[in-house]
Amino acid sequence: MTAPDKEKVARRLLTSSADRYYDPEVDIDWDAPWAPGVPFIPDHRITLYGTELWQEMTPEQRLELGKHEAVSMVSYGIYAEAALMHILLRLVTEGDPATPRVRYTLTEIGDECRHSTMFARFIEKSGIRAYRQPRVAARAMKFISLLPVGPASYGLALLIEEILDRGQRESMNDENVQPHMRMLNRIHVLEEARHISFARTELVRSAAELNRFELFVNRMVVAIAANLVAIMLIHPRVYKAVGIRPRDGRRAALKNPHYRQTLAFMAEKLIAFFEESGMLKGRLVRALWRRSQLMPRAAR
């Protein structure tokens, strides 16, 4: 891939940000009640779907598990976007604030703040306590903030953004999903499209400036982080809400071919871009990606 003009892309994204903008406080009717009996995420995307544990659950338990998994994913979204904002803030402090690129970075930080507020509002309405990130993920987040800004930082941004984006695109178009959840997903997908475009542009540009060893290190960092996604997305405590021991629920989920298929589905477009941009080169890098369960079989 050739490196695009970073300032030209930033100008386009600034215009798009001004033209297409949502305010979650206004555009979501938080006072409206939940639709009774309507799931928060499609059944086939729930981690235990198709397992023996799933067959033993009542419809009410399945609905409750889906609700807790939705809260877990938006909790992950808050912490992941906080880590992403650390990277973006460094771009601001290290760059020229008069350039379109840095002005767009500031715009994206504002978007991420609104998204995190929206996720927090959803958690509050659910009546469920936010799921705190696992200790290993919290340590990884601190490490991310120390990374030099480059292919690894933009790759991690895409790992955060594109995984959620693919699942939310499916959910927002599903009329059998809670209206609040559909609108939350629609807002996030619309604005994340710009963020994904920016991160892809910056990844290609910054990768072109590195030597082979530096690129290998950057690829390894992203591949290692990919192995945390399945752990971070769904907190094991969600299973406790339906009477399943957390360790039993997590074990069943990670072995569940339906959930593995869901992870590969959510990462499919990301993997295609990483393949095209050279972020999957190297035997060890590809082995780590296969271990993460995010790589579709066709790409292995």
Side-chain angles (χ1 to χ4, degrees):
M1 294 182 71
T2 58
D5 183 335
K6 60 185 179 182
E7 300 300 343
K8 184 178 179 180
V9 171
R11 286 191 188 94
R12 175 177 59 80
L13 294 173
L14 277 167
T15 301
S16 176
S17 298
D19 291 341
R20 307 183 72 185
Y21 168 89
Y22 279 100
D23 181 352
E25 290 296 318
V26 175
D27 294 311
I28 297 178
D29 185 359
W30 296 108
D31 294 327
W34 300 124
V38 177
F40 289 79
I41 54 178
D43 279 358
H44 67 286
R45 298 302 180 198
I46 296 175
T47 58
L48 296 183
Y49 177 80
T51 64
E52 289 184 12
L53 290 171
W54 179 262
Q55 300 303 328
E56 294 169 359
M57 291 165 62
T58 65
E60 292 75 20
Q61 286 177 313
R62 293 173 181 177
L63 192 68
E64 187 67 10
L65 178 59
K67 183 179 181 181
H68 278 261
E69 291 196 2
V71 169
S72 178
M73 282 190 281
V74 298
S75 298
Y76 159 79
I78 292 172
Y79 294 119
E81 290 189 342
L84 173 57
M85 283 188 278
H86 276 87
I87 297 170
L88 295 173
L89 285 166
R90 289 181 60 193
L91 262 180
V92 174
T93 57
E94 294 173 12
D96 179 353
T99 61
R101 178 169 171 257
V102 174
R103 284 191 288 119
Y104 175 72
T105 303
L106 288 167
T107 301
E108 183 171 333
I109 291 169
D111 289 345
E112 300 296 11
C113 286
R114 288 201 319 279
H115 295 167
S116 294
T117 302
M118 175 175 67
F119 292 161
R121 189 72 185 271
F122 176 85
I123 295 170
E124 179 189 37
K125 182 174 177 61
S126 75
I128 298 169
R129 291 186 63 184
Y131 285 100
R132 302 297 299 269
Q133 55 188 336
R135 188 172 300 174
V136 64
R139 289 174 179 169
M141 292 294 189
K142 291 178 181 178
F143 170 72
I144 288 170
S145 65
L146 300 175
L147 284 175
V149 176
S153 51
Y154 294 115
L156 292 170
L158 289 168
L159 192 61
I160 292 165
E161 293 171 335
E162 295 217 39
I163 296 291
L164 284 176
D165 181 80
R166 190 79 194 280
Q168 289 179 323
R169 282 181 183 274
E170 178 188 53
S171 183
M172 76 180 193
N173 293 316
D174 189 338
E175 294 184 359
N176 296 314
V177 170
Q178 282 284 346
H180 290 84
M181 195 70 188
R182 292 181 64 199
M183 190 60 188
L184 177 148
N185 289 338
R186 183 171 290 110
I187 291 171
H188 197 241
V189 162
L190 175 68
E191 298 187 344
E192 286 297 319
R194 297 190 291 264
H195 305 173
I196 289 169
S197 177
F198 180 70
R200 286 186 172 199
T201 299
E202 291 294 315
L203 185 148
V204 172
R205 182 197 59 77
S206 58
E209 299 173 352
L210 302 184
N211 60 40
R212 291 178 63 183
F213 176 73
E214 290 170 332
L215 275 174
F216 169 74
V217 173
N218 277 259
R219 291 172 187 143
M220 283 293 294
V221 168
V222 180
I224 292 168
N227 283 267
L228 295 175
V229 170
I231 297 173
M232 292 171 64
L233 268 177
I234 305 298
H235 198 287
R237 206 171 70 242
V238 300
Y239 306 113
K240 192 174 182 180
V242 291
I244 298 171
R245 287 194 305 179
R247 64 182 181 183
D248 293 341
R250 167 159 283 180
R251 187 183 302 116
L254 294 178
K255 290 181 179 179
N256 183 8
H258 291 286
Y259 183 47
R260 291 183 177 184
Q261 186 180 31
T262 291
L263 289 171
F265 165 78
M266 293 173 77
E268 189 175 22
K269 289 186 176 181
L270 174 67
I271 295 295
F273 170 72
F274 278 168
E275 190 80 75
E276 183 183 3
S277 60
M279 288 298 288
L280 299 184
K281 287 183 179 179
R283 186 175 299 176
L284 181 56
V285 170
R286 293 190 79 88
L288 285 167
W289 273 101
R290 285 193 294 270
R291 186 178 182 276
S292 74
Q293 301 187 35
L294 297 178
M295 184 175 279
R297 289 188 179 277
R300 296 187 180 191

